[in-house]
Amino acid sequence: MNAIAMDIRRNRLLLSYLIVAMLLLVMLVVGGVLSDRFLTWRNISNLLQQLIVLGMVSLGQTFVVLMGGIDLAIGSLVGALTVFLANFLEWRPDLVWLALPLALLAATCVGAINGLLTILLRVHPLIVTLGMSSIIFGGTLMYRKEPGGSVPRGFADVAYTSVGGVPISAIVLVVIFALAGLWLQRTRSGRSIYFVGGDREAARLNGLPVNRIVVLAYALSGLCAGVAAIFLTARTGVGDPRIGVALTLQSVTPVVVGGTILAGGRGGVLGTFLGVLLVTMLNNLLNFLSVSSYYQWIIQGLIIVVAVGFHTSRRRH
Amino acid sequence: MAPLDTATQRPRHKSLATVMERYGLLIFLAVLMAVAAAASPTFLRPANLVNVLTIAAPLGMVVIGQTFVILVRGLDLSVASLMATVAVLATAFRATTNDAIPLIFVAAIMFSAIVGFVNGYIVAKRNVSPFLATLAMMIILQGLRFAYTGGAPISTLPPGMAFLASGRIFGIPVNLLTLAVLAISLGIVLHRSRLGREVFMVGSNPKAAFLNGVAPDRVVIICYVLCSVCAGIGGLFLLGYVGTVSNWVGQGYELDSIVAAVMGGVALTGGRGNIFAALLGVAVLVVINNLVLLLGFPIEMQLIIKGIIIIGAAAFYRTQVN
């Protein structure tokens, strides 16, 4: 890849960042004009509090998509983990220190298994993760059909505590995204994710441990789902096997809105972060304008089409 | 998505491999049915078999369409959402007499065709990945449907709609008859006509197809339209079976239709597959679902088995290629 091509690619990515950022500004202004409660600190901090779950699953999806795959098991995994956490903590509220690492470990393992299966069976990641999602969902439902369990008080605080008015969860999210961005841009292993996503064969010929990178990307996606599940359980206080059903597809929207190409190798976490902000703020704004969630679905679908149509049509010329 | 690795060629007995690829699913189905028959004496009774097939008919219709889309390297995740939306559309006429049924059919097919055209247009002309295009369509249809119904189930339907599920012509259930007509006519289109050849050409190599004077975009759009129309018809038959329009009629059919097609050896990389094998996949899927119940396992077990099967089947056919 020569320097000029690199430059153009980067500029296009910057352009999509700029557009999303401008849309965010427009929404802030529109929201401020249409509702006097939208721009209050109370609403903003409420909005920031909601970021973490969508943010984490989208971050996980970004790793996998950049590497050239897709992870459709995220939602089922998050649902299964909330069930595990809530039931485990109801049984032994004192063992929070054990439950959280266990959940993260299990999530990472499931992700790694996804990656391993795509490599070992040479089956398309869409099929592998779809199948895995069905297996996890069925397994969770066999264990618990209805929402249940509970969490100790201190654990629930994780989701609601603020420092200087800024929710801790938002701070955690920003730190994780910053670390992820630094890792992807500045380290060898991070950049190899782009390399594998851009051209897997070339990466292999260049001596990169392609298989290990694939497994790593899926494992990271699982880990992110684990973090999302922890905050989700803390916030809702119950384990709901179905809570993640919509989350899988929701995790894809910010990724593609942020300019990451589904074919892999192009994009980044900054775009995903902006995408998460955009989706969350849009839903918040529509709630303020009392637009029913039904129309929010339509709008979400349109956003995907417009964003992807925009990016791909640019790529063509 | 990433280009798929080409499977490395392994030395094997060609004849055995071919036999397994051609008849593996049939053998699997026979084994499953033997197990089912052993587990429950009622399974092999004609009444039960017809019942099982009747339940499978709407899924079969969807799978026929899904096969067309997968053959041109696509995927349609919006089929289930479309089925429910068509079902809601059928109630929109507030019809209480059977005179409205032809109108309902025409409206459903036209609506489905439009949805399919939009899917195909976005995929073919705007170069959007089929996964995202049909995913967006799925959410949009869901929103439209709920915005119309407000989330409440409706049951204003002409009484004749139940005929679609339980009616018989010359002793053959109507839905099976319709499925057979759809399968045979579209099977002829796919495996014996010029359009069918173009579908396979575009699926295996769009560039070569283009150089041979085929317009890939046109073929892709036609496939998506066919898929949506099949799903729309399937939605009406499912509605006849369920009777009441919940907003989630057909939920899970997108996954099931892909599972069945993949089990039937339709390659997700495009260009390889057969409608009747895909329908055999449907049969296997329903027998498995039935078997889970016959053996007294919890119904959630179906999800687990389905997940294992879709991964296993895809892996199985991968090793058979080349």
Side-chain angles (χ1 to χ4, degrees):
Chain A
M1 186 185 337
N2 63 41
I4 298 169
M6 190 76 171
D7 203 35
I8 293 172
R9 284 183 168 201
R10 176 141 298 177
N11 280 341
R12 274 188 198 152
L13 206 55
L14 274 180
L15 185 65
S16 52
Y17 289 173
L18 215 64
I19 291 173
V20 177
M22 282 200 357
L23 283 175
L24 280 170
L25 265 181
V26 170
M27 274 197 299
L28 275 178
V29 173
V30 170
V33 171
L34 291 178
S35 163
D36 48 350
R37 282 176 304 144
F38 181 73
L39 278 184
T40 55
W41 182 247
R42 196 188 153 137
N43 183 46
I44 299 285
S45 107
N46 177 32
L47 201 151
L48 290 176
Q49 212 170 68
Q50 289 168 3
L51 288 179
I52 184 100
V53 175
L54 185 61
M56 286 313 297
V57 291
S58 304
L59 179 64
Q61 192 70 271
T62 310
F63 290 130
V64 177
V65 171
L66 281 177
M67 181 278 298
I70 190 148
D71 189 348
L72 298 185
I74 290 180
S76 299
L77 182 56
V78 170
L81 291 171
T82 65
V83 170
F84 162 73
L85 281 171
N87 284 290
F88 187 93
L89 291 176
E90 188 177 49
W91 172 56
R92 287 295 294 272
D94 52 321
L95 289 185
V96 174
W97 59 269
L98 178 64
L100 301 192
L102 265 182
L104 292 178
L105 183 68
T108 313
C109 286
V110 170
I113 291 172
N114 279 333
L116 277 174
L117 284 178
T118 62
I119 293 169
L120 292 178
L121 303 178
R122 297 169 202 273
V123 172
H124 200 286
L126 198 89
I127 293 295
V128 169
T129 55
L130 210 57
M132 187 58 96
S133 165
S134 187
I135 295 171
I136 299 172
F137 189 49
T140 316
L141 283 179
M142 275 175 80
Y143 174 62
R144 283 283 187 280
K145 277 184 202 28
E146 303 300 329
S150 66
V151 297
R153 210 196 172 101
F155 179 57
D157 289 343
V158 170
Y160 294 106
T161 315
S162 298
V163 177
V166 182
I168 283 189
S169 66
I171 298 172
V172 170
L173 185 69
V174 170
V175 169
I176 291 178
F177 262 85
L179 288 177
L182 279 178
W183 177 66
L184 281 173
Q185 299 291 331
R186 307 276 153 165
T187 68
R188 229 181 126 80
S189 55
R191 274 201 302 260
S192 58
I193 295 237
Y194 281 93
F195 206 164
V196 171
D199 190 334
R200 193 176 282 204
E201 218 34 59
R204 208 188 299 276
L205 293 174
N206 270 286
L208 283 179
V210 171
N211 290 350
R212 224 183 300 163
I213 294 162
V214 171
V215 175
L216 177 68
Y218 282 100
L220 282 176
S221 173
L223 182 61
C224 289
V227 177
I230 288 174
F231 279 93
L232 194 56
T233 316
R235 187 161 81 206
T236 58
V238 293
D240 182 352
R242 289 173 220 278
I243 202 164
V245 170
L247 215 49
T248 302
L249 301 178
Q250 282 170 6
S251 72
V252 181
T253 313
V255 177
V256 296
V257 167
T260 298
I261 299 295
L262 216 51
R266 203 160 82 76
V269 291
L270 179 58
T272 301
F273 188 75
L274 292 173
V276 171
L277 271 181
L278 184 81
V279 171
T280 312
M281 195 186 286
L282 185 66
N283 285 339
N284 181 278
L285 180 60
L286 292 172
N287 281 338
F288 260 91
L289 302 178
S290 329
V291 176
S292 94
S293 59
Y294 310 146
Y295 292 102
Q296 297 185 19
W297 283 334
I298 301 179
I299 292 169
Q300 198 192 349
L302 290 176
I303 287 179
I304 294 179
V305 174
V306 171
V308 180
F310 171 79
H311 293 307
T312 46
S313 67
R314 308 215 114 240
R315 196 179 42 173
R316 258 188 163 179
H317 298 300
Chain B
M1 250 135 278
L4 294 150
D5 293 355
T6 37
T8 41
Q9 200 147 11
R10 295 182 200 169
R12 61 169 71 244
H13 290 293
K14 197 80 192 162
S15 58
L16 181 69
T18 334
V19 167
M20 278 313 284
E21 193 188 348
R22 292 211 100 170
Y23 304 110
L25 193 61
L26 215 52
I27 297 168
F28 188 44
L29 182 61
V31 172
L32 279 178
M33 291 184 61
V35 174
S40 156
T42 50
F43 179 78
L44 278 182
R45 285 207 189 124
N48 184 54
L49 285 183
V50 168
N51 189 24
V52 169
L53 285 176
T54 308
I55 296 173
L59 179 61
M61 298 175 197
V62 179
V63 169
I64 294 173
Q66 191 72 263
T67 303
F68 271 89
V69 168
I70 297 179
L71 278 175
V72 289
R73 301 182 173 188
L75 193 69
D76 193 342
L77 296 177
S78 67
V79 283
S81 196
L82 177 61
M83 290 171 90
T85 310
V86 163
V88 167
L89 182 71
T91 65
F93 294 98
R94 303 260 176 260
T96 46
T97 58
N98 288 338
D99 305 340
I101 290 182
L103 182 66
I104 287 176
F105 261 83
V106 171
I109 289 174
M110 274 171 57
F111 179 76
S112 306
I114 293 170
V115 168
F117 179 80
V118 173
N119 277 338
Y121 182 86
I122 295 174
V123 169
K125 299 282 187 190
R126 301 298 300 180
N127 222 7
V128 173
S129 88
F131 172 76
L132 284 178
T134 57
L135 169 67
M137 182 55 86
M138 172 186 117
I139 306 172
I140 292 173
L141 287 175
Q142 183 180 318
L144 283 175
R145 176 169 86 235
F146 273 86
Y148 176 74
T149 62
I154 312 172
S155 51
T156 358
L157 274 177
M161 288 300 279
F163 182 74
L164 294 182
S166 55
R168 284 167 186 250
I169 297 176
F170 308 125
I172 307 168
V174 183
N175 48 15
L176 285 183
L177 206 60
T178 315
L179 176 63
V181 169
L182 265 183
I184 291 170
S185 55
L186 286 178
I188 289 172
V189 167
L190 184 60
H191 299 293
R192 289 284 177 272
S193 82
R194 201 187 133 150
L195 175 65
R197 274 196 302 281
E198 291 182 354
V199 168
F200 281 102
M201 276 167 86
V202 170
S204 41
N205 192 339
K207 229 169 236 163
F210 179 71
L211 293 175
N212 273 295
V214 177
D217 292 357
R218 189 183 62 100
V219 175
V220 168
I221 292 176
I222 290 176
C223 285
Y224 277 92
V225 170
L226 279 177
C227 178
S228 290
V229 169
C230 285
I233 296 174
L236 288 180
F237 276 89
L238 189 64
L239 171 64
Y241 183 76
V242 181
T244 319
V245 183
S246 102
N247 284 283
W248 295 112
V249 171
Q251 198 183 18
Y253 273 47
E254 66 277 65
L255 176 60
D256 285 6
S257 62
I258 298 169
V259 176
V262 169
M263 260 199 297
V266 183
L268 284 166
T269 40
R272 236 164 32 89
N274 179 304
I275 280 190
F276 301 101
L279 285 175
L280 208 56
V282 176
V284 170
L285 199 59
V286 223
V287 170
I288 288 175
N289 281 346
N290 200 259
L291 192 59
V292 167
L293 297 181
L294 281 180
L295 293 176
F297 292 126
I299 198 161
E300 289 78 23
M301 189 84 117
Q302 292 177 349
L303 286 170
I304 301 181
I305 295 176
K306 228 182 281 177
I308 296 173
I309 282 183
I310 189 173
I311 299 176
F316 171 76
Y317 285 106
R318 255 234 74 69
T319 56
Q320 305 290 321
V321 191
N322 298 342

